Amino acid sequence: FCIITAMFLTSCGEVENKSYEADLGSFFGDFSGAFVLYDYNNKFYIRHNEEQCTTRYSPCSTFKIPNSLIGLETGVIADENFVLQWDSVTRNREELNKDHDLQSAIKYSVVWYYQELARRVGEEKMRYYIDTLNYGNKDISGGLDKFWLDNSLKISAEEQVQFLYKLYTDSLPFSKRNMDIVKKIIIQDTLENGAVFSGKTGSNGTDLGWFVGTVQLGSNLYIFATNIVGDGANGMKARDITREIIKTLKIM
């Protein structure tokens, strides 16, 4: 892996983990992009655009990952099959206009499901878990059912990777059962080489796109976060960019 990528990686020194600055600008086109990847077994980071990697943005729908965990841990929802009834408000995507369980709600990024979930959790418990997780700037003042939607809560790509590291090493303040449920429902693909590609998109609908997740390849785990900023940026574009970078790195 290091030999394959050495042609465009520059060592940035070593503190606790080795860090490489990657020249990945060609993948982002006209967008300003950040990319962080952590190689679990080999204990090194790859970063593109280090300044943006540490800049906080709204998590948008990537917050569905901690929101799912909090809903499960508080007992508001029992498991991935917990159904919430559609509120009969017609929205701009047909798949939103029906009942959903947790698994389908995260797959189709059903905002109303997660807003209702947050309301059922309540402000006191939500604040407790956001503080305990040390999630970004921990600011939920923008409203219980919208603080993560281009509102008060902000998090960086670097912090997204740190959060996912704790999730995938079972070191978050949640039961292993609940962490396993969430890891299962964000699986996107299992590839021919056996790699399991997981993640969640996020977007503010105008100029910010996220994709955060992991690739499990054999006994190794790669944890990543990508964000893109600029006109037309969205989560699917961030996802496509991430896939191309990861393919170039020969991870999948």
Side-chain angles (χ1 to χ4, degrees):
F1 175 69
C2 292
I3 294 173
I4 292 168
T5 60
M7 65 186 71
F8 62 90
L9 297 181
T10 303
S11 176
C12 297
E14 184 172 5
V15 183
E16 185 174 337
N17 297 286
K18 196 74 173 176
S19 177
Y20 297 92
E21 173 71 13
D23 181 10
L24 302 174
S26 61
F27 291 93
F28 290 94
D30 294 332
F31 297 120
S32 175
F35 175 78
V36 183
L37 180 140
Y38 183 66
D39 180 319
Y40 179 81
N41 281 359
N42 297 299
K43 308 301 179 192
F44 69 80
Y45 285 91
I46 295 171
R47 296 181 181 89
H48 168 75
N49 193 349
E50 290 201 57
E51 182 178 355
Q52 189 166 320
C53 288
T54 58
T55 300
R56 286 171 168 168
Y57 300 94
S58 169
C60 304
S61 284
T62 67
F63 185 72
K64 288 181 172 68
I65 298 175
N67 205 356
S68 297
L69 288 165
I70 294 166
L72 289 163
E73 195 71 16
T74 56
V76 168
I77 49 177
D79 54 30
E80 67 271 36
N81 301 311
F82 185 85
V83 175
L84 287 177
Q85 290 189 330
W86 176 43
D87 58 9
S88 300
V89 176
T90 301
R91 296 175 174 85
N92 61 350
R93 287 190 289 127
E94 187 175 346
E95 62 266 26
L96 303 180
N97 302 322
K98 61 181 183 179
D99 298 350
H100 278 278
D101 60 21
L102 184 68
Q103 190 162 230
S104 64
I106 203 163
K107 178 179 179 179
Y108 295 107
S109 210
V110 181
V111 173
W112 67 257
Y113 185 102
Y114 281 91
Q115 289 182 302
E116 177 61 21
L117 178 57
R119 288 190 287 265
R120 294 189 184 193
V121 167
E123 184 172 347
E124 182 179 352
K125 289 180 179 178
M126 183 65 75
R127 187 177 301 280
Y128 167 80
Y129 278 106
I130 296 300
D131 287 346
T132 302
L133 292 172
N134 196 29
Y135 190 88
N137 68 355
K138 301 179 286 187
D139 185 354
I140 69 167
S141 64
L144 180 58
D145 59 1
K146 58 187 177 183
F147 62 82
W148 68 92
L149 297 171
D150 205 21
N151 205 302
S152 59
L153 187 65
K154 310 288 183 185
I155 192 169
S156 69
E158 193 82 25
E159 290 168 323
Q160 293 265 28
V161 168
Q162 293 166 6
F163 168 73
L164 290 172
Y165 174 90
K166 292 177 182 177
L167 172 60
Y168 280 83
T169 56
D170 296 329
S171 53
L172 289 176
F174 302 104
S175 72
K176 187 176 187 304
R177 169 194 179 269
N178 292 336
M179 289 188 283
D180 285 345
I181 287 173
V182 173
K183 285 182 275 189
K184 180 176 70 174
I185 64 176
I186 63 171
I187 292 173
Q188 302 222 341
D189 293 305
T190 300
L191 307 178
E192 289 183 5
N193 67 350
V196 179
F197 182 58
S198 301
K200 184 68 193 78
T201 56
S203 175
N204 67 357
T206 56
D207 60 1
L208 172 64
W210 279 103
F211 189 64
V212 305
T214 64
V215 177
Q216 180 82 49
L217 180 60
S219 63
N220 203 0
L221 180 70
Y222 302 89
I223 306 165
F224 61 81
T226 303
N227 61 49
I228 55 175
V229 178
D231 289 344
N234 60 48
M236 294 307 297
K237 290 176 182 176
R239 181 182 185 272
D240 292 344
I241 290 167
T242 303
R243 285 186 72 111
E244 289 306 308
I245 291 172
I246 290 174
K247 286 179 182 177
T248 300
L249 296 176
K250 307 298 183 184
I251 295 171
M252 57 181 265

